[in-house]
Amino acid sequence: GQQLNQSPQSMFIQEGEDVSMNCTSSSIFNTWLWYKQDPGEGPVLLIALYKAGELTSNGRLTAQFGITRKDSFLNISASIPSDVGIYFCAGRPPLYNQGGKLIFGQGTELSVKP
Amino acid sequence: DSGVTQTPKHLITATGQRVTLRCSPRSGDLSVYWYQQSLDQGLQFLIQYYNGEERAKGNILERFSAQQFPDLHSELNLSSLELGDSALYFCASSVSTDTQYFGPGTRLTVL
């Protein structure tokens, strides 16, 4: 089945540093979404991307929908302690008989040292 | 707060039992999705309903079933529970098949 490879699995950085993570797949997706999850909580939507090549920002976060439709990246600039958490990419496959189901990456665990 | 509500927050039960998880979508959203999150499998899509009709199915076990009611709330029924069913169960909703907003989840523990 379709899989998303998310990297890195974990990152331990200093406050103020920039962060970059990405997801790749062998299959194309129609939508890419980035979520952040705190322990015991539900994923919170950060950025949604709907077109190949689209570059979207949300505050210090920037994400891009790869031109091949098989990858996406998320950058966080000037990290702060509250950025700590697990970041997930998710892709929505082309619609035929798959509805709106999302395929999730394995997550990137971010730790920020003050 | 995503606007998606789930009850209960925690559920502890024994093997062989049956439980029902409840989800209320965001106001105006017609689609409801159920996902399972476990340490070894990550976040896995189970099933989607759109305006009361089943729209897509993932790797949902035959022991699990779901439905969406006329008021658009949804229930996920898990029966003949096994230890391996212990996980976080999330509901998400969207207007159609676009951006999904997740609820806070139900943590199921099967003893």
Side-chain angles (χ1 to χ4, degrees):
Chain A
Q2 289 168 303
Q3 286 187 313
L4 288 182
N5 298 309
Q6 185 172 349
S7 64
Q9 272 190 304
S10 61
M11 303 182 75
F12 191 85
I13 62 170
Q14 289 283 138
E15 183 177 358
E17 288 183 356
D18 296 345
V19 170
S20 185
M21 59 191 79
N22 69 85
C23 275
T24 60
S25 174
S26 58
S27 307
I28 63 171
F29 289 93
N30 283 359
T31 304
W32 283 94
L33 304 167
W34 285 91
Y35 290 88
K36 178 175 182 263
Q37 186 178 25
D38 292 327
E41 304 292 326
V44 174
L45 181 67
L46 299 174
I47 291 182
L49 303 157
Y50 302 105
K51 287 193 316 187
E54 181 181 353
L55 184 71
T56 296
S57 292
N58 177 9
R60 294 178 295 105
L61 278 60
T62 301
Q64 184 158 31
F65 191 143
I67 198 74
T68 65
R69 296 170 65 192
K70 295 181 179 181
D71 63 322
S72 178
F73 72 74
L74 174 71
N75 288 339
I76 306 172
S77 63
S79 58
I80 58 178
S82 63
D83 291 334
V84 165
I86 303 178
Y87 292 78
F88 289 96
C89 63
R92 184 171 70 77
L95 259 182
Y96 45 88
N97 81 355
Q98 298 200 68
K101 85 173 194 182
L102 294 178
I103 308 293
F104 278 83
Q106 306 95 320
T108 295
E109 185 170 8
L110 179 63
S111 302
V112 179
K113 186 175 180 183
Chain B
D1 186 349
S2 67
V4 179
T5 61
Q6 289 187 249
T7 56
K9 179 82 172 164
H10 301 279
L11 201 46
I12 301 174
T13 188
T15 54
Q17 295 299 303
R18 183 180 192 274
V19 297
T20 298
L21 282 53
R22 195 180 193 277
C23 167
S24 292
R26 296 186 319 154
S27 177
D29 285 358
L30 299 178
S31 273
V32 170
Y33 311 78
W34 286 97
Y35 291 84
Q36 180 192 59
Q37 186 176 37
S38 61
L39 281 174
D40 55 343
Q41 295 290 324
L43 265 161
Q44 297 284 321
F45 169 76
L46 294 178
I47 196 164
Q48 176 197 358
Y49 278 82
Y50 175 78
N51 203 21
E53 302 280 331
E54 183 184 303
R55 175 62 68 91
K57 222 168 183 176
N59 297 324
I60 187 168
L61 299 171
E62 284 192 13
R63 301 183 286 109
F64 295 1
S65 65
Q67 54 184 326
Q68 186 178 27
F69 295 86
D71 67 352
L72 300 177
H73 91 270
S74 177
E75 292 180 356
L76 178 67
N77 299 297
L78 315 177
S79 62
S80 303
L81 285 167
E82 302 175 359
L83 295 177
D85 297 328
S86 296
L88 272 165
Y89 291 84
F90 290 105
C91 167
S93 74
S94 67
V95 173
S96 58
T97 55
D98 53 10
T99 312
Q100 294 177 29
Y101 295 87
F102 281 74
T106 293
R107 180 176 292 280
L108 174 67
T109 303
V110 182
L111 300 175

